[in-house]
Amino acid sequence: MATVFLGTVVHTKSFGEFESFEKGFLVVDDAGKIIGVGQDYKAWASSNPAQAKGLTEVQLSDYQFLMPGFVDCHIHAPQFAQLGLGLDMPLLDWLNTYTFPLEAKFSDQQYALQVYQGVVEATLRCGTTLASYFATNHMESTLTLAREAVRQGQRALVGKVCSNCNSPDFYVESAEESVRATVAFVDGVRKLGSPLVMPTITPRFALSCSKELLKDLGDIAKRFDLHIQSHISENLAEIEVVKGIFKTSYAGAYDEAGLLTNKTVMAHGVHLEDDEVALLKTRGCSVAHCPASNTMLSSGLCDVQRLVSAGVNVGLGTDVSGGNSVSILDVLLRALDVSKHLDFFKKQNIRGTGVAETQDPNYIPLKYKQALYLATLGGAQALSLDQLTGNFVLGKEFDALLVDVSVVEKPMRRLSVDELVEKFIYTGSDRNIIEVFVAGKRIKQKYQ
Ligand SMILES: [Zn+2]
């Protein structure tokens, strides 16, 4: 149903550009596309009389605003089953002790369905309108995840995970099986016929794939013009093993296989060397910044400002369950924290820690509006889907959140537009996200 929202509308246009319309408007057509947005609805309606006719009017309160939906650039759907558990180990031990045994259980279709219903529900409730999911090695249950995203109306990239080495006997496939199942999975997702869900090529990480398998996956991505996702430079111990096996840098290992393209998003990038950052920029690759996971698994502090300054697209990822929350709003706050902590190291002599080797008195940590960009348009750009979603540009799909900052506690005074957004970022939760829209369709409604 064609609708006009009347009230405060906010979005970002780039890393440094935040735009808001106080007492503004946004018009969505029957197809779920944005056909009008701005400050003066009366002026728009008089110059677009045919489109303005018969619109359903939704009046927002003084404490409500409309913003683009959150984009989660990196989430492991099966690990929702162990969310908040087993966070007492670094990456490689964590994988072997908790995560590989859990993911092996997804050969069971019933179990997979139960977990995948849960993760799609939970992320939608938290306002994730677009997610890039890792599933498991299992083709059938990964298709179940794709079907579940379609059924619940979430926009998603879904990947069958590929791993043929350095994995436990109970959770590994041959390169031939991996390639065959990946091609079948791509075909299976396309047969679903939904514009919301797309397949993405998903080598787990360089360490769990042979050079030959990585190359085959790069070829498949090229042949079918597919998105690609994986992990890069997450943890120092892992990086040393990768360099030992591939005899090149972490980024070099992927590049030799043709896996660094302008449709590639790599999670983490915490410890990338300067020449690797330059290579990602040259190839048009993006990074999914996962600050919660980087802290939980003791990986490190990723310097987002460094990546953005180098011209690399950056979005945010929950990295469930290395990260402890399904909410991109939580991750956004963690990104601000990590950036502040880096700022401390670069400017202060922290007692007990000493002086950072490279001080930078001119370092500027992330601002909340920039973090909002990373959580929305930055994420859409990182997933190469910004032509469809990420902000409120005419012709894009209406993927949006209706936020009400008065749900839990009414503010003590009337807030400005900037303050509404600031309040939501620093004190908000899924309870403040009262409606969620994907492609114009209302997915989550107000609590009754
Ligand atoms: Zn991950």
PDB file of all heavy atoms in Angstrom, residues 12-34:
ATOM      1  N   THR A  12      22.189   8.730   5.877  1.00  0.00           N
ATOM      2  CA  THR A  12      23.520   9.241   5.535  1.00  0.00           C
ATOM      3  C   THR A  12      23.705   9.160   4.029  1.00  0.00           C
ATOM      4  O   THR A  12      23.092   8.329   3.357  1.00  0.00           O
ATOM      5  CB  THR A  12      24.647   8.435   6.217  1.00  0.00           C
ATOM      6  OG1 THR A  12      24.584   7.082   5.763  1.00  0.00           O
ATOM      7  CG2 THR A  12      24.526   8.472   7.730  1.00  0.00           C
ATOM      8  N   LYS A  13      24.556  10.028   3.515  1.00  0.00           N
ATOM      9  CA  LYS A  13      24.840  10.027   2.078  1.00  0.00           C
ATOM     10  C   LYS A  13      26.270   9.585   1.795  1.00  0.00           C
ATOM     11  O   LYS A  13      26.612   9.226   0.677  1.00  0.00           O
ATOM     12  CB  LYS A  13      24.595  11.428   1.513  1.00  0.00           C
ATOM     13  CG  LYS A  13      23.108  11.815   1.631  1.00  0.00           C
ATOM     14  CD  LYS A  13      22.886  13.289   1.438  1.00  0.00           C
ATOM     15  CE  LYS A  13      22.755  13.626  -0.030  1.00  0.00           C
ATOM     16  NZ  LYS A  13      22.397  15.057  -0.208  1.00  0.00           N
ATOM     17  N   SER A  14      27.121   9.647   2.820  1.00  0.00           N
ATOM     18  CA  SER A  14      28.496   9.158   2.714  1.00  0.00           C
ATOM     19  C   SER A  14      29.042   9.089   4.139  1.00  0.00           C
ATOM     20  O   SER A  14      28.330   9.405   5.099  1.00  0.00           O
ATOM     21  CB  SER A  14      29.358  10.099   1.859  1.00  0.00           C
ATOM     22  OG  SER A  14      29.533  11.320   2.551  1.00  0.00           O
ATOM     23  N   PHE A  15      30.321   8.698   4.278  1.00  0.00           N
ATOM     24  CA  PHE A  15      30.943   8.596   5.604  1.00  0.00           C
ATOM     25  C   PHE A  15      30.832   9.920   6.371  1.00  0.00           C
ATOM     26  O   PHE A  15      30.601   9.927   7.574  1.00  0.00           O
ATOM     27  CB  PHE A  15      32.414   8.205   5.429  1.00  0.00           C
ATOM     28  CG  PHE A  15      33.151   7.975   6.712  1.00  0.00           C
ATOM     29  CD1 PHE A  15      32.831   6.912   7.543  1.00  0.00           C
ATOM     30  CD2 PHE A  15      34.189   8.821   7.087  1.00  0.00           C
ATOM     31  CE1 PHE A  15      33.525   6.701   8.729  1.00  0.00           C
ATOM     32  CE2 PHE A  15      34.890   8.616   8.267  1.00  0.00           C
ATOM     33  CZ  PHE A  15      34.553   7.552   9.085  1.00  0.00           C
ATOM     34  N   GLY A  16      30.953  11.014   5.646  1.00  0.00           N
ATOM     35  CA  GLY A  16      30.949  12.318   6.318  1.00  0.00           C
ATOM     36  C   GLY A  16      29.656  13.103   6.180  1.00  0.00           C
ATOM     37  O   GLY A  16      29.559  14.223   6.655  1.00  0.00           O
ATOM     38  N   GLU A  17      28.659  12.524   5.481  1.00  0.00           N
ATOM     39  CA  GLU A  17      27.428  13.294   5.229  1.00  0.00           C
ATOM     40  C   GLU A  17      26.206  12.646   5.855  1.00  0.00           C
ATOM     41  O   GLU A  17      25.761  11.579   5.427  1.00  0.00           O
ATOM     42  CB  GLU A  17      27.170  13.378   3.722  1.00  0.00           C
ATOM     43  CG  GLU A  17      27.993  14.373   2.976  1.00  0.00           C
ATOM     44  CD  GLU A  17      27.662  14.301   1.494  1.00  0.00           C
ATOM     45  OE1 GLU A  17      28.185  13.384   0.827  1.00  0.00           O
ATOM     46  OE2 GLU A  17      26.875  15.124   1.020  1.00  0.00           O
ATOM     47  N   PHE A  18      25.665  13.321   6.857  1.00  0.00           N
ATOM     48  CA  PHE A  18      24.430  12.915   7.519  1.00  0.00           C
ATOM     49  C   PHE A  18      23.367  13.928   7.109  1.00  0.00           C
ATOM     50  O   PHE A  18      23.630  15.124   7.094  1.00  0.00           O
ATOM     51  CB  PHE A  18      24.665  12.952   9.035  1.00  0.00           C
ATOM     52  CG  PHE A  18      23.433  12.767   9.879  1.00  0.00           C
ATOM     53  CD1 PHE A  18      22.989  11.497  10.225  1.00  0.00           C
ATOM     54  CD2 PHE A  18      22.732  13.875  10.353  1.00  0.00           C
ATOM     55  CE1 PHE A  18      21.865  11.327  11.023  1.00  0.00           C
ATOM     56  CE2 PHE A  18      21.602  13.711  11.152  1.00  0.00           C
ATOM     57  CZ  PHE A  18      21.173  12.435  11.485  1.00  0.00           C
ATOM     58  N   GLU A  19      22.183  13.438   6.745  1.00  0.00           N
ATOM     59  CA  GLU A  19      21.127  14.362   6.316  1.00  0.00           C
ATOM     60  C   GLU A  19      19.865  14.079   7.123  1.00  0.00           C
ATOM     61  O   GLU A  19      19.534  12.918   7.374  1.00  0.00           O
ATOM     62  CB  GLU A  19      20.835  14.167   4.825  1.00  0.00           C
ATOM     63  CG  GLU A  19      19.839  15.167   4.268  1.00  0.00           C
ATOM     64  CD  GLU A  19      19.682  15.055   2.752  1.00  0.00           C
ATOM     65  OE1 GLU A  19      19.468  13.925   2.256  1.00  0.00           O
ATOM     66  OE2 GLU A  19      19.773  16.083   2.073  1.00  0.00           O
ATOM     67  N   SER A  20      19.165  15.137   7.522  1.00  0.00           N
ATOM     68  CA  SER A  20      17.924  14.931   8.270  1.00  0.00           C
ATOM     69  C   SER A  20      16.864  15.915   7.807  1.00  0.00           C
ATOM     70  O   SER A  20      17.179  17.009   7.323  1.00  0.00           O
ATOM     71  CB  SER A  20      18.179  15.110   9.771  1.00  0.00           C
ATOM     72  OG  SER A  20      18.601  16.429  10.044  1.00  0.00           O
ATOM     73  N   PHE A  21      15.615  15.488   7.939  1.00  0.00           N
ATOM     74  CA  PHE A  21      14.469  16.344   7.624  1.00  0.00           C
ATOM     75  C   PHE A  21      13.555  16.362   8.840  1.00  0.00           C
ATOM     76  O   PHE A  21      12.863  15.377   9.113  1.00  0.00           O
ATOM     77  CB  PHE A  21      13.708  15.807   6.406  1.00  0.00           C
ATOM     78  CG  PHE A  21      14.567  15.653   5.176  1.00  0.00           C
ATOM     79  CD1 PHE A  21      14.998  14.391   4.773  1.00  0.00           C
ATOM     80  CD2 PHE A  21      14.962  16.763   4.439  1.00  0.00           C
ATOM     81  CE1 PHE A  21      15.793  14.241   3.655  1.00  0.00           C
ATOM     82  CE2 PHE A  21      15.761  16.622   3.311  1.00  0.00           C
ATOM     83  CZ  PHE A  21      16.180  15.352   2.919  1.00  0.00           C
ATOM     84  N   GLU A  22      13.582  17.463   9.578  1.00  0.00           N
ATOM     85  CA  GLU A  22      12.674  17.590  10.717  1.00  0.00           C
ATOM     86  C   GLU A  22      11.317  18.002  10.166  1.00  0.00           C
ATOM     87  O   GLU A  22      11.240  18.863   9.289  1.00  0.00           O
ATOM     88  CB  GLU A  22      13.203  18.652  11.691  1.00  0.00           C
ATOM     89  CG  GLU A  22      12.400  18.694  12.974  1.00  0.00           C
ATOM     90  CD  GLU A  22      12.948  19.705  13.967  1.00  0.00           C
ATOM     91  OE1 GLU A  22      13.856  20.470  13.589  1.00  0.00           O
ATOM     92  OE2 GLU A  22      12.466  19.718  15.110  1.00  0.00           O
ATOM     93  N   LYS A  23      10.263  17.367  10.639  1.00  0.00           N
ATOM     94  CA  LYS A  23       8.921  17.577  10.068  1.00  0.00           C
ATOM     95  C   LYS A  23       8.964  17.371   8.548  1.00  0.00           C
ATOM     96  O   LYS A  23       8.374  18.133   7.782  1.00  0.00           O
ATOM     97  CB  LYS A  23       8.387  18.974  10.404  1.00  0.00           C
ATOM     98  CG  LYS A  23       8.160  19.199  11.899  1.00  0.00           C
ATOM     99  CD  LYS A  23       7.376  20.483  12.136  1.00  0.00           C
ATOM    100  CE  LYS A  23       6.946  20.637  13.576  1.00  0.00           C
ATOM    101  NZ  LYS A  23       8.030  20.896  14.505  1.00  0.00           N
ATOM    102  N   GLY A  24       9.691  16.360   8.136  1.00  0.00           N
ATOM    103  CA  GLY A  24       9.833  16.060   6.714  1.00  0.00           C
ATOM    104  C   GLY A  24       8.845  14.986   6.265  1.00  0.00           C
ATOM    105  O   GLY A  24       7.825  14.741   6.933  1.00  0.00           O
ATOM    106  N   PHE A  25       9.170  14.332   5.152  1.00  0.00           N
ATOM    107  CA  PHE A  25       8.271  13.291   4.628  1.00  0.00           C
ATOM    108  C   PHE A  25       9.061  12.260   3.835  1.00  0.00           C
ATOM    109  O   PHE A  25      10.184  12.530   3.381  1.00  0.00           O
ATOM    110  CB  PHE A  25       7.198  13.917   3.724  1.00  0.00           C
ATOM    111  CG  PHE A  25       7.733  14.370   2.391  1.00  0.00           C
ATOM    112  CD1 PHE A  25       7.607  13.566   1.261  1.00  0.00           C
ATOM    113  CD2 PHE A  25       8.394  15.589   2.265  1.00  0.00           C
ATOM    114  CE1 PHE A  25       8.118  13.971   0.029  1.00  0.00           C
ATOM    115  CE2 PHE A  25       8.912  16.000   1.037  1.00  0.00           C
ATOM    116  CZ  PHE A  25       8.771  15.194  -0.080  1.00  0.00           C
ATOM    117  N   LEU A  26       8.458  11.090   3.697  1.00  0.00           N
ATOM    118  CA  LEU A  26       9.016  10.049   2.833  1.00  0.00           C
ATOM    119  C   LEU A  26       7.842   9.275   2.240  1.00  0.00           C
ATOM    120  O   LEU A  26       6.936   8.864   2.972  1.00  0.00           O
ATOM    121  CB  LEU A  26       9.938   9.121   3.625  1.00  0.00           C
ATOM    122  CG  LEU A  26      10.714   8.097   2.778  1.00  0.00           C
ATOM    123  CD1 LEU A  26      12.087   7.816   3.370  1.00  0.00           C
ATOM    124  CD2 LEU A  26       9.944   6.792   2.604  1.00  0.00           C
ATOM    125  N   VAL A  27       7.837   9.121   0.922  1.00  0.00           N
ATOM    126  CA  VAL A  27       6.737   8.434   0.241  1.00  0.00           C
ATOM    127  C   VAL A  27       7.241   7.123  -0.354  1.00  0.00           C
ATOM    128  O   VAL A  27       8.286   7.086  -1.013  1.00  0.00           O
ATOM    129  CB  VAL A  27       6.142   9.303  -0.896  1.00  0.00           C
ATOM    130  CG1 VAL A  27       4.915   8.618  -1.494  1.00  0.00           C
ATOM    131  CG2 VAL A  27       5.795  10.694  -0.391  1.00  0.00           C
ATOM    132  N   VAL A  28       6.484   6.049  -0.089  1.00  0.00           N
ATOM    133  CA  VAL A  28       6.809   4.717  -0.621  1.00  0.00           C
ATOM    134  C   VAL A  28       5.675   4.294  -1.539  1.00  0.00           C
ATOM    135  O   VAL A  28       4.498   4.421  -1.175  1.00  0.00           O
ATOM    136  CB  VAL A  28       6.919   3.685   0.524  1.00  0.00           C
ATOM    137  CG1 VAL A  28       7.376   2.335  -0.012  1.00  0.00           C
ATOM    138  CG2 VAL A  28       7.865   4.169   1.599  1.00  0.00           C
ATOM    139  N   ASP A  29       6.011   3.764  -2.724  1.00  0.00           N
ATOM    140  CA  ASP A  29       4.939   3.354  -3.644  1.00  0.00           C
ATOM    141  C   ASP A  29       4.503   1.905  -3.386  1.00  0.00           C
ATOM    142  O   ASP A  29       5.047   1.228  -2.494  1.00  0.00           O
ATOM    143  CB  ASP A  29       5.350   3.582  -5.108  1.00  0.00           C
ATOM    144  CG  ASP A  29       6.426   2.618  -5.589  1.00  0.00           C
ATOM    145  OD1 ASP A  29       6.789   1.675  -4.838  1.00  0.00           O
ATOM    146  OD2 ASP A  29       6.909   2.796  -6.722  1.00  0.00           O
ATOM    147  N   ASP A  30       3.546   1.437  -4.169  1.00  0.00           N
ATOM    148  CA  ASP A  30       3.006   0.082  -3.983  1.00  0.00           C
ATOM    149  C   ASP A  30       4.066  -1.000  -4.142  1.00  0.00           C
ATOM    150  O   ASP A  30       3.957  -2.079  -3.579  1.00  0.00           O
ATOM    151  CB  ASP A  30       1.900  -0.181  -5.019  1.00  0.00           C
ATOM    152  CG  ASP A  30       0.636   0.576  -4.666  1.00  0.00           C
ATOM    153  OD1 ASP A  30       0.378   0.732  -3.461  1.00  0.00           O
ATOM    154  OD2 ASP A  30      -0.067   1.015  -5.591  1.00  0.00           O
ATOM    155  N   ALA A  31       5.101  -0.699  -4.928  1.00  0.00           N
ATOM    156  CA  ALA A  31       6.147  -1.694  -5.184  1.00  0.00           C
ATOM    157  C   ALA A  31       7.226  -1.681  -4.098  1.00  0.00           C
ATOM    158  O   ALA A  31       8.200  -2.429  -4.176  1.00  0.00           O
ATOM    159  CB  ALA A  31       6.777  -1.434  -6.548  1.00  0.00           C
ATOM    160  N   GLY A  32       7.061  -0.795  -3.087  1.00  0.00           N
ATOM    161  CA  GLY A  32       8.040  -0.758  -1.997  1.00  0.00           C
ATOM    162  C   GLY A  32       9.233   0.122  -2.287  1.00  0.00           C
ATOM    163  O   GLY A  32      10.246   0.058  -1.588  1.00  0.00           O
ATOM    164  N   LYS A  33       9.121   0.962  -3.312  1.00  0.00           N
ATOM    165  CA  LYS A  33      10.244   1.848  -3.657  1.00  0.00           C
ATOM    166  C   LYS A  33       9.990   3.271  -3.144  1.00  0.00           C
ATOM    167  O   LYS A  33       8.844   3.715  -3.046  1.00  0.00           O
ATOM    168  CB  LYS A  33      10.424   1.890  -5.174  1.00  0.00           C
ATOM    169  CG  LYS A  33      11.009   0.599  -5.733  1.00  0.00           C
ATOM    170  CD  LYS A  33      11.580   0.840  -7.111  1.00  0.00           C
ATOM    171  CE  LYS A  33      12.449  -0.277  -7.637  1.00  0.00           C
ATOM    172  NZ  LYS A  33      12.218  -1.607  -7.156  1.00  0.00           N
ATOM    173  N   ILE A  34      11.094   3.963  -2.855  1.00  0.00           N
ATOM    174  CA  ILE A  34      10.996   5.344  -2.367  1.00  0.00           C
ATOM    175  C   ILE A  34      10.765   6.260  -3.565  1.00  0.00           C
ATOM    176  O   ILE A  34      11.570   6.284  -4.503  1.00  0.00           O
ATOM    177  CB  ILE A  34      12.299   5.734  -1.634  1.00  0.00           C
ATOM    178  CG1 ILE A  34      12.501   4.820  -0.415  1.00  0.00           C
ATOM    179  CG2 ILE A  34      12.265   7.205  -1.211  1.00  0.00           C
ATOM    180  CD1 ILE A  34      13.916   4.827   0.129  1.00  0.00           C
TER     181      ILE A  34
END
